[in-house]
């Protein structure tokens, strides 16, 4: 072994540490929306929380977020979950919007707010987390396919 060369177990430990840091960052990124959902003083709804989480990525103005005040609590057309609605709007007319909806439905049991609440499979804050995570995943696919 050469003096000054890294010991293999040190390299493995550094690699593991980097992997752990990446996972922690990803977890923090995925939880941006839930830190806004229904928290004082603003009490943003589920749709607004999604917009806030992606505000920088999509250049969303504060007035757009305020406009989504009427999109939470299943008040969008068809009674859709506001978090899912906002995620679909941000994803746009891509090939992935149907898949996003299907994956959300798998996790929540429905795409409709009232049905999700009746099923009690996941609470509203988890709907926000699911919509956020799915949007991140599908947005990566969409931008990768453009390249």
């Amino acid at each position: 072994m050469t003096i000054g060369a890294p010991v293999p177990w040190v390299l493995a430990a550094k690699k593991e540490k980097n992997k752990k840091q990446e996972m922690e960052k990803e977890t923090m990124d995925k939880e941006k929306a839930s830190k806004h959902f229904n928290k004082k003083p603003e009490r943003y709804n589920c749709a607004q929380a999604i917009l806030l989480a992606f505000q920088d990525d999509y250049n969303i103005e504060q007035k757009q977020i305020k406009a989504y005040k009427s999109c939470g609590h299943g008040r969008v057309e068809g009674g859709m979950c506001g978090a899912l609605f906002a995620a679909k709007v941000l994803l746009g007319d891509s090939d992935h919007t149907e898949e996003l909806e299907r994956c959300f439905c798998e996790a929540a049991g429905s795409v409709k707010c009232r049905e999700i609440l009746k099923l009690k499979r996941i609470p509203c804050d988890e709907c926000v987390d699911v919509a956020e995570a799915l949007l991140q995943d599908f947005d990566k696919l969409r931008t990768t396919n453009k390249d």
Side-chain angles (χ1 to χ4, degrees):
M1 189 180 299
T2 312
I3 296 179
V7 181
W9 62 267
V10 172
L11 291 175
K14 282 185 179 182
K15 187 175 181 180
E16 187 64 33
K17 182 180 176 184
N18 289 342
K19 187 176 179 182
K20 185 177 178 182
Q21 287 173 337
E22 283 179 30
M23 287 175 63
E24 287 172 356
K25 183 186 181 306
E26 191 173 301
T27 300
M28 285 173 48
D29 287 348
K30 285 185 179 178
E31 295 172 353
K32 284 202 283 188
S34 59
K35 77 177 183 184
H36 297 291
F37 176 63
N38 209 21
K39 302 285 192 291
K40 291 181 183 179
E42 296 88 359
R43 293 215 176 267
Y44 291 114
N45 65 35
C46 49
Q48 291 174 304
I50 294 296
L51 294 181
L52 281 161
F54 293 92
Q55 187 172 18
D56 294 336
D57 299 336
Y58 287 88
N59 299 316
I60 301 168
E61 295 180 17
Q62 197 63 33
K63 66 181 179 182
Q64 290 172 288
I65 294 166
K66 285 183 182 179
Y68 272 64
K69 185 145 185 86
S70 63
C71 295
H73 312 290
R75 292 182 288 181
V76 296
E77 189 175 325
M80 181 182 288
C81 167
L84 174 60
F85 173 76
K88 287 179 68 172
V89 168
L90 291 178
L91 192 55
D93 288 334
S94 81
D95 297 333
H96 303 294
T97 52
E98 285 183 27
E99 183 71 8
L100 174 109
E101 192 171 308
R102 188 189 64 72
C103 290
F104 181 89
C105 189
E106 273 182 25
S110 178
V111 297
K112 296 185 177 193
C113 182
R114 289 180 199 254
E115 290 177 12
I116 294 168
L117 293 173
K118 281 183 189 175
L119 290 170
K120 296 182 181 179
R121 185 186 282 184
I122 62 174
C124 291
D125 59 332
E126 285 185 36
C127 286
V128 170
D129 291 340
V130 168
E132 180 180 12
L134 289 171
L135 179 58
Q136 284 181 340
D137 291 344
F138 284 105
D139 192 47
K140 285 178 193 172
L141 283 174
R142 184 176 60 96
T143 55
T144 302
N145 290 343
K146 281 185 178 180
D147 297 339

